[in-house]
């Protein structure tokens, strides 16, 4: 009997390994191996096109990037972007999911409309929003704000104004990504047992109390997942920056990913770019682990 169980366990293990092998192979080839290569290159002075031989520099590249004002500004921009986008996008996603979680005719059309920006390529979205942010009184955003303020708004060049460029990218990101979070929250809402709401109505509970004591607690894990994913995506901001502002004006909208690409491909400094990507990976990893630890502590307290 024991031999049969052991044989069955071995068979299940082999089947599991064979099914996971393609995913594990892809993970190794496209994540683990490139990261290991970047880690090795970050300890050198590699620069494409340079006649100098490759030398081992130790942590010199890391010291240099932390002394670089552009890199520190990029970190600050990433942090500000995440602090603004993550709570606003999560709140909007929750609100939209609540509005669309109703058995009404045509609701599938509205869900599709809100989700459509997610499937559009970021390059296309960035070009469209560049047109929307066009300077001058004829620009769509300037014209809209002038109409909403009854003519008091003065036309601004959003993407070339140091005070408005980053908020403009935030607005674009919130619009483009809220549909993805909405779908996840909507799935969480539809998994909540209806019997909980029926029991609450029998007890005389109003909608606010149902939302506070049933919906939010039941959506806790879903919202945690949404916040984690949105935070990681916020720190990966690159496409819209590269297309719309290229990190400018000055360093007002540059990000860590933009600095890494600029160092590795624009300046041909592969070692510097590798050091930035390794540092960026470690920062995102620490932030994610801290979020998970805070969530774990909250569960323990409860």
């Amino acid at each position: 009997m024991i031999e049969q169980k052991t044989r069955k366990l071995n068979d299940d293990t082999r089947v599991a390994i064979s099914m996971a092998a393609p995913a594990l192979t892809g993970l190794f080839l496209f994540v683990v191996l490139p990261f290991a290569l970047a880690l090795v290159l970050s300890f050198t002075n590699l620069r494409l096109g340079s006649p100098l031989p490759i030398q081992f520099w130790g942590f010199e590249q890391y010291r240099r990037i932390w002394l670089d004002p552009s890199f520190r500004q990029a970190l600050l921009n990433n942090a500000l972007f995440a602090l603004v986008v993550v709570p606003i996008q999560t709140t909007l996603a929750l609100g939209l999911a609540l509005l669309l979680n109703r058995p009404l005719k045509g609701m599938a059309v509205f869900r599709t409309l809100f989700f459509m920006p997610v499937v559009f390529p970021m390059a296309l979205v960035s070009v469209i929003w560049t047109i929307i942010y066009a300077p001058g009184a004829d620009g769509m955003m300037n014209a809209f704000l002038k109409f909403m303020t009854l003519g008091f708004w003065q036309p601004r060049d959003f993407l070339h104004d140091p005070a408005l460029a980053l908020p403009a990218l935030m607005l674009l990101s919130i619009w483009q990504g809220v549909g993805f979070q909405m779908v996840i929250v909507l799935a969480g809402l539809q998994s909540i047992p209806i019997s909980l709401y029926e029991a609450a109505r029998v007890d005389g509970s109003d909608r606010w109390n149902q939302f506070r004591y049933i919906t939010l607690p039941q959506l806790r894990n879903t919202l945690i997942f949404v916040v984690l994913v949105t935070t990681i995506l916020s720190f990966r901001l690159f496409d819209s920056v590269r297309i719309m502002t290229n990190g400018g004006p000055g360093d007002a909208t540059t990000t860590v990913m933009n600095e890494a690409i600029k160092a590795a491909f624009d300046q041909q400094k592969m070692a510097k770019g590798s050091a930035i990507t390794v540092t960026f990976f470690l920062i995102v990893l620490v932030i994610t682990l801290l979020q998970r630890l805070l969530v774990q502590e909250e569960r323990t307290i409860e």
Side-chain angles (χ1 to χ4, degrees):
M1 185 68 179
I2 296 178
E3 292 181 357
Q4 291 179 351
K5 290 183 178 180
T6 303
R7 190 180 303 110
K8 186 177 184 303
L9 181 61
N10 293 334
D11 293 339
D12 292 343
T13 302
R14 283 193 293 269
V15 172
I17 292 175
S18 63
M19 295 181 66
L24 293 176
T25 303
L27 184 66
F28 175 78
L29 291 177
F30 299 107
V31 179
V32 177
L33 191 59
F35 178 77
L37 181 60
L39 183 62
V40 172
L41 292 179
S42 67
F43 293 115
T44 68
N45 66 335
L46 177 62
R47 180 172 183 174
L48 298 181
S50 174
L52 298 176
I54 300 178
Q55 296 177 346
F56 179 77
W57 274 20
F59 290 95
E60 177 63 19
Q61 294 290 356
Y62 294 95
R63 186 187 70 84
R64 291 189 177 191
I65 64 173
W66 281 107
L67 293 177
D68 186 356
S70 296
F71 177 76
R72 294 200 298 269
Q73 183 63 44
L75 279 177
L76 178 61
N77 291 340
N78 271 122
L80 289 175
F81 189 89
L83 287 174
V84 173
V85 170
V86 172
I88 293 179
Q89 202 170 62
T90 304
T91 303
L92 288 176
L94 176 60
L96 289 174
L98 290 171
L99 288 174
L100 298 179
N101 189 34
R102 299 170 181 273
L104 299 177
K105 291 183 178 180
M107 194 56 67
V109 176
F110 288 101
R111 293 176 183 175
T112 303
L113 290 176
F114 281 113
F115 185 75
M116 280 181 65
V118 180
V119 301
F120 289 154
M122 181 54 74
L124 173 62
V125 173
S126 299
V127 171
I128 293 174
W129 277 78
T130 300
I131 298 173
I132 293 175
Y133 286 137
D138 295 332
M140 294 178 63
M141 183 62 72
N142 279 316
F144 173 75
L145 292 176
K146 185 176 181 180
F147 172 77
M148 295 299 295
T149 58
L150 302 179
F152 287 98
W153 175 263
Q154 296 299 319
R156 304 285 291 273
D157 189 353
F158 292 94
L159 299 181
H160 294 89
D161 189 327
L164 296 178
L166 188 59
L169 293 178
M170 292 176 181
L171 179 61
L172 160 62
S173 181
I174 291 171
W175 173 85
Q176 195 269 339
V178 70
F180 174 70
Q181 284 82 359
M182 179 202 71
V183 170
I184 298 175
V185 176
L186 186 60
L189 284 173
Q190 294 178 348
S191 67
I192 300 176
I194 300 178
S195 58
L196 295 177
Y197 294 102
E198 293 175 347
R201 284 194 293 268
V202 170
D203 291 338
S205 179
D206 56 19
R207 289 184 177 272
W208 168 247
N209 285 328
Q210 292 177 28
F211 173 76
R212 182 179 177 185
Y213 295 108
I214 298 177
T215 305
L216 283 181
Q218 292 292 319
L219 285 178
R220 186 174 182 278
N221 292 334
T222 302
L223 292 176
I224 289 171
F225 174 77
V226 167
V227 169
L228 287 174
V229 172
T230 308
T231 301
I232 294 173
L233 293 177
S234 296
F235 275 90
R236 286 176 50 192
L237 177 68
F238 169 71
D239 305 61
S240 57
V241 172
R242 189 72 169 181
I243 295 172
M244 299 175 70
T245 65
N246 199 25
D251 289 327
T253 60
T254 191
T255 62
V256 178
M257 287 296 297
N258 187 60
E259 288 297 308
I261 297 299
K262 184 167 64 174
F265 297 101
D266 295 347
Q267 302 172 359
Q268 304 293 298
K269 298 178 180 178
M270 298 301 295
K272 180 181 178 181
S274 299
I276 293 175
T277 56
V278 171
T279 303
F280 175 67
F281 170 79
L282 294 176
I283 290 173
V284 174
L285 179 63
V286 169
I287 292 174
T288 304
L289 292 177
L290 286 176
Q291 286 181 323
R292 294 299 299 170
L293 287 175
L294 291 175
V295 169
Q296 187 63 37
E297 289 178 3
E298 185 177 345
R299 287 180 177 176
T300 303
I301 293 173
E302 290 178 354

